[in-house]
Amino acid sequence: DAGITQSPRHKVTETGTPVTLRCHQTENHRYMYWYRQDPGHGLRLIHYSYGVKDTDKGEVSDGYSVSRSKTEDFLLTLESATSSQTSVYFCAISANRGSRSTEAFFGQGTRLTVV
Amino acid sequence: GQQVMQIPQYQHVQEGEDFTTYCNSSTTLSNIQWYKQRPGGHPVFLIQLVKSGEVKKQKRLTFQFGEAKKNSSLHITATQTTDVGTYFCAGPGANNLFFGTGTRLTVIP
């Protein structure tokens, strides 16, 4: 397996609290992604990064922010958690993108429950 | 925006039967990837198709990329219980990777 670690693996939090999920990679891949997975919706892209301090929004970015201060770390923050953000969150990395895209490697996932 | 749709959403088959999932993109793709996610696990890369009309095989799995590079399919011959999971296709955007909605396969022994 590729060197990609998500933390925490499980978290229960209260509505209205901020939450930060961490993705750490040891592959030195340029591209990093945060997805959420919900029944019937597959994997939906939240935010992605194409380099240190270079990030952009995905299709479901409202209520989320990200930061990438180092190549190896990509943080996802729920600014004020809501029950609709209860989901399984996956981080992924890839070496290339677009027409030169190569396989993406996924972390083990974080199961987040907002009560 | 770019969309990648998959059908069916669910498929139940008897062990030994064949299975096919289809992926359709709203735009022409430079390439398409397929992933498998076991229950409780994370998506794992299976294969990438690049050329128009390309067909690739991995044992009992056959992957096809359409001539127009807007659709793809995954066919499993004689399913086994180890094939259980959700199969996703994914297409590249300018800087990201868009996933289809997935097909969840259940294999009945």
Side-chain angles (χ1 to χ4, degrees), chain A:
Chain A
D1 284 348
I4 176 169
T5 306
Q6 289 184 232
S7 59
R9 294 291 313 281
H10 302 270
K11 186 170 182 66
V12 179
T13 192
E14 293 185 349
T15 298
T17 60
V19 177
T20 295
L21 309 183
R22 181 182 185 233
C23 178
H24 178 78
Q25 61 146 328
T26 57
E27 304 295 324
N28 201 36
H29 283 350
R30 178 178 177 183
Y31 300 91
M32 299 186 76
Y33 314 86
W34 277 108
Y35 292 90
R36 61 177 289 174
Q37 185 171 34
D38 307 287
H41 292 278
L43 291 159
R44 292 184 291 174
L45 184 64
I46 305 171
H47 281 278
Y48 61 96
S49 170
Y50 46 97
V52 173
K53 296 186 180 180
D54 290 325
T55 64
D56 207 345
K57 297 178 180 180
E59 58 184 313
V60 289
S61 60
D62 286 349
Y64 301 94
S65 62
V66 289
S67 66
R68 192 171 178 196
S69 58
K70 298 184 290 184
T71 298
E72 56 266 35
D73 289 326
F74 192 31
L75 304 180
L76 175 71
T77 297
L78 287 65
E79 293 139 10
S80 178
T82 67
S83 58
S84 64
Q85 294 176 311
T86 293
S87 186
V88 179
Y89 291 86
F90 285 102
C91 174
I93 62 174
S94 66
N96 293 296
R97 53 81 174 172
S99 60
R100 299 175 60 192
S101 63
T102 52
E103 64 182 289
F105 298 95
F106 282 79
Q108 299 294 320
T110 296
R111 183 172 295 276
L112 176 69
T113 302
V114 183
V115 298

